């Protein structure tokens, strides 16, 4: 599809509805942009916010940074996701190995494990109130076919030198109990987390704004062009055009994820915006009080048919993301190439409601008024043709950087990717980032062009 800015009127997610009092939600909504600034970060999701935080904490003066956001603060995927900070422990190995070789695939997965610890450290050290639950995740294999795939992936990852020492495996009745699902053939469990992603990102924005960073909401970057005036503004290499004026800028950081190709047309065939759907449920008695789910779940029938489940230990709300059973109607309305995050699929909501009822051991008839489906919403993921994000300098555009293309999995990568990017901006070598080399932005990656995102890696929620 044609690259585009985000649509004007997205729906509100459960995360949005529960954080309407964030004081910077509509910051500078009507103000003209300042004429110049050293750093502009485009996008106020977790990538843009954390990049600003890392810049400030690496010594950059907050007043030298401005964040541009096309809609309200954190209105993209970050405020619409399924709330999981859930490392891929081994499942993606085969698909990553096919595209990037086994060594990179092992690194990608090791990086996700490290990421969980980095996220935990950030949240606990800064006492971020974001309903963070550091727990485990149970992956339930709900069909023989899927079990066969997972068993192979586990063995291949181990044989390639991948660390599986933190993964527990269950079979038979134990698997059913662990997965809370009668169809579980086997189950795998490893450390993972969940959180309220808007509260997390609002905390980060609040903190950087206190340090002098400026946020301009409802102010899309429309184009970035070379700045030609000499002497007086020397050093300011780029002009960013917005509906409320032009900003002369030295350093531009693209944190625009699914929308990256709008400003960088070379990405038009590399990054695909794709819609995903999430639901919030009010639990029944079987999932309330002392019976809250203590760990997160991934209920998997097939690569393309799965549900992620986590429950807030704060108010008991259950968040279920995933794909549900495909029907023609689903294909028409969700999980498709689009930037429309104002709609959702009724049939997918119904499939997900059935999954909730199974989990709750309930039926539609036994639900009390107020229990059950609370809300459904969608968000837009940025899918890259080679399944991994783009981090680093943009070749040919000196002073422009990118941290985008998170393939529906950015909450499980950002606490390594954003600090890595800031190291590069500050002049350090790629090796200091600790990131897998295949994450590095490179023209050569764009050659893989046509969308070939691997079904096995789709929907990592
Ligand atoms: C439904 C759904 C469920 C998900 N579940 C999970 C999960 O459980 N766990 C997980 O790890 N990941 C999950 N993800 C993925 C995760 O949410 C994303 O990878 C992550 O939030 C990406 O963060 P970001 O800051 O790069 O992107 P975004 O949060 O999308 O931020 C990009 C921002 O840039 C703004 N923008 C774009 N273009 C412009 C422009 N030209 N000018 C100004 N502003 C612009 C947008 O408005 C947006 O606010 C999910 C995603 C979706 C959609």
């Amino acid at each position: 599809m044609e690259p585009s800015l985000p649509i004007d009127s997205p729906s509100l997610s459960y995360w949005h509805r529960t954080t309407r009092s964030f004081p910077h939600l509509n910051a500078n909504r009507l103000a003209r942009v300042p004429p110049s600034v050293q750093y502009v970060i485009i996008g106020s999701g977790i990538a843009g916010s954390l990049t600003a935080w890392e810049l400030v904490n690496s010594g950059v003066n907050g007043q030298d940074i401005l964040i541009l956001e096309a809609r309200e603060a954190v209105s993209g995927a970050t405020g619409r996701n399924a709330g999981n900070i859930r490392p891929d422990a081994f499942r993606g190995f085969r698909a990553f190995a096919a595209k990037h070789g086994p060594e990179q695939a092992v690194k990608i997965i090791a990086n996700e494990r490290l990421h969980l610890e980095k996220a935990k450290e950030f949240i606990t050290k800064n006492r971020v109130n974001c309903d963070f639950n550091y727990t485990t995740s149970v992956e339930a294999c709900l069909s023989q076919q899927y079990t066969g795939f997972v068993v192979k992936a586990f063995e291949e990852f181990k044989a390639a030198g991948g660390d599986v020492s933190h993964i527990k495996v269950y079979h038979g009745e134990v698997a059913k109990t662990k997965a809370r699902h009668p169809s579980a053939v086997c189950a795998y469990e490893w450390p993972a987390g969940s959180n309220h992603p808007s509260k997390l990102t609002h905390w980060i924005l609040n903190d950087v704004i206190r340090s002098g960073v400026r946020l301009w909401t409802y102010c899309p970057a429309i184009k970035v062009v070379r700045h030609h005036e000499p002497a007086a503004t020397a050093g300011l290499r780029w002009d960013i055009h917005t509906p409320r004026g032009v900003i002369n800028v030295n350093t531009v950081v693209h944190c625009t994820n699914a929308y990256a190709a709008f400003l960088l047309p070379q990405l038009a065939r590399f990054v695909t915006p794709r819609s995903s759907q999430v639901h919030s449920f009010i639990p029944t008695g079987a999932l309330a009080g002392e019976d809250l789910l203590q760990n997160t779940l991934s209920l998997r029938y097939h690569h393309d048919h799965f549900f992620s489940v986590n429950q807030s230990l704060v108010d008991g709300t259950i968040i279920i993301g995933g794909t549900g059973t495909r029907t023609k109607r689903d294909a028409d309305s969700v999980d498709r190439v689009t930037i429309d995050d104002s709609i959702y699929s009724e049939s997918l909501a119904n499939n997900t409601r059935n999954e909730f009822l199974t989990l709750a051991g309930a039926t539609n008839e036994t639900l009390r008024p107020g229990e059950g489906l609370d809300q459904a919403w969608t968000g837009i993921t940025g899918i890259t043709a080679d399944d991994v994000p783009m981090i680093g300098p943009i070749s040919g555009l000196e002073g422009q950087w990118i941290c985008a293309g998170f393939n529906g999995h950015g909450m499980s990568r950002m606490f390594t990717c954003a600090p890595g990017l800031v190291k590069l901006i500050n002049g350090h070598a790629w090796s200091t980032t600790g990131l897998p080399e295949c994450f590095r932005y490179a023209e050569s990656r764009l050659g893989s062009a046509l969308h070939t995102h691997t079904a096995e890696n789709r929907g990592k929620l």
Side-chain angles (χ1 to χ4, degrees):
M1 66 177 286
E2 274 296 296
S4 168
L5 285 169
I7 63 163
D8 286 339
S9 299
S11 63
L12 293 187
S13 69
Y14 163 78
W15 316 117
H16 292 134
R17 281 168 54 224
T18 48
T19 52
R20 303 312 293 162
S21 58
F22 177 53
H24 306 295
L25 201 61
N26 302 320
N28 291 305
R29 181 180 188 152
L30 301 173
R32 285 192 69 74
V33 292
S36 65
V37 67
Q38 284 296 318
Y39 297 81
V40 164
I41 295 170
I42 309 175
S44 70
I46 185 76
S49 306
L50 197 54
T51 298
W53 194 92
E54 292 290 339
L55 280 169
V56 168
N57 285 277
S58 73
V60 173
N61 187 340
Q63 285 168 355
D64 289 339
I65 303 171
L66 187 143
I67 303 174
L68 283 178
E69 168 53 53
R71 310 188 291 197
E72 71 176 37
V74 200
S75 48
T78 302
R80 326 181 71 80
N81 64 46
N84 295 294
I85 303 180
R86 180 178 194 269
D88 180 343
F90 64 89
R91 177 164 36 82
F93 172 75
R94 300 179 80 193
F96 288 132
K99 290 203 171 170
H100 301 284
E103 197 184 303
Q104 287 294 302
V106 168
K107 278 192 183 180
I108 293 168
I109 286 168
N111 189 261
E112 303 218 357
R113 191 173 171 196
L114 173 70
H115 174 276
L116 176 66
E117 299 312 315
K118 295 273 179 206
K120 177 179 173 233
E121 188 185 310
F122 182 95
I123 291 166
T124 47
K125 196 168 150 195
N126 294 299
R127 300 206 181 110
V128 183
N129 178 7
C130 64
D131 308 351
F132 181 59
N133 182 16
Y134 183 75
T135 177
T136 59
S137 188
V138 175
E139 170 133 335
C141 303
L142 303 178
S143 69
Q144 286 297 349
Q145 191 196 12
Y146 189 68
T147 301
F149 163 75
V150 169
V151 168
K152 256 196 189 146
F154 185 82
E155 290 310 324
E156 286 176 18
F157 177 59
K158 208 163 77 169
D163 182 6
V164 292
S165 60
H166 57 306
I167 304 173
K168 294 181 182 148
V169 188
Y170 308 105
H171 298 279
E173 287 310 308
V174 188
K176 292 186 191 357
T177 309
K178 280 277 172 194
R180 289 196 176 218
H181 204 289
S183 311
V185 180
C186 67
Y188 293 75
E189 183 179 26
W190 61 86
S194 64
N195 77 131
H196 188 310
S198 293
K199 286 189 187 171
L200 170 63
T201 315
H202 290 170
W203 184 93
I204 298 170
L205 281 174
N206 225 347
D207 201 55
V208 295
I209 289 170
R210 254 202 317 257
S211 306
V213 171
R214 287 168 284 175
L215 168 64
W216 246 253
T217 61
Y218 292 93
C219 193
I222 296 189
K223 62 179 174 181
V224 183
V225 293
R226 274 189 203 281
H227 180 69
H228 283 306
E229 274 180 52
T233 50
L236 298 179
R237 297 176 275 203
W238 298 102
D239 287 342
I240 303 185
H241 290 247
T242 80
R244 299 208 296 282
V246 177
I247 323 176
N248 304 153
V249 180
N250 196 23
T251 301
V252 183
V253 190
H254 295 259
C255 295
T256 45
N257 207 33
Y259 311 95
F262 180 76
L263 296 171
L264 298 167
Q266 62 271 42
L267 300 180
R269 284 157 64 86
F270 187 70
V271 182
T272 307
R274 215 182 167 100
S275 166
S276 282
Q277 186 161 320
V278 181
H279 314 77
S280 55
F281 288 88
I282 306 303
T284 62
L287 292 166
E290 62 190 11
D291 294 320
L292 291 188
L293 295 172
Q294 298 298 321
N295 50 259
T296 73
L297 297 171
S298 178
L299 306 174
R300 295 200 167 245
Y301 297 89
H302 190 255
H303 304 302
D304 269 351
H305 180 191
F306 67 90
F307 299 89
S308 72
V309 184
N310 65 73
Q311 184 165 26
S312 164
L313 300 185
V314 176
D315 68 5
T317 301
I318 296 180
I319 303 294
I320 308 188
T323 60
T325 314
R326 285 296 162 73
T327 65
K328 189 163 184 309
R329 199 160 154 243
D330 282 340
D332 288 343
S333 52
V334 294
D335 195 24
R336 62 184 177 118
V337 177
T338 180
I339 51 143
D340 189 348
D341 48 8
S342 69
I343 51 162
Y344 69 90
S345 153
E346 278 292 347
S347 59
L348 178 49
N350 281 333
N351 290 335
T352 310
R353 186 188 284 120
N354 291 337
E355 210 60 34
F356 165 78
L357 292 173
T358 306
L359 202 62
T363 64
N364 269 328
E365 290 68 41
T366 56
L367 291 184
R368 291 182 293 172
E371 290 178 341
L373 182 63
D374 167 54
Q375 195 198 345
W377 68 90
T378 50
I380 310 301
T381 56
I383 305 298
T384 60
D386 62 5
D387 296 353
V388 294
M390 299 166 286
I391 311 294
I394 302 176
S395 16
L397 303 177
E398 200 190 337
Q400 292 199 39
W401 305 78
I402 189 163
C403 181
F406 283 94
N407 290 276
H409 200 49
M411 303 309 290
S412 311
R413 284 186 172 149
M414 216 56 81
F415 284 93
T416 54
C417 287
L421 177 75
V422 168
K423 284 205 172 91
L424 299 174
I425 294 175
N426 287 338
H428 300 288
W430 178 269
S431 57
T432 65
T433 68
L435 293 170
E437 288 73 13
C438 61
F439 284 14
R440 188 177 189 150
Y441 178 88
E443 290 280 313
S444 55
R445 287 177 60 188
L446 309 188
S448 43
L450 275 183
H451 175 69
T452 54
H453 187 63
T454 320
E456 287 163 19
N457 266 343
R458 192 177 302 146
K460 293 277 216 155
L461 317 186

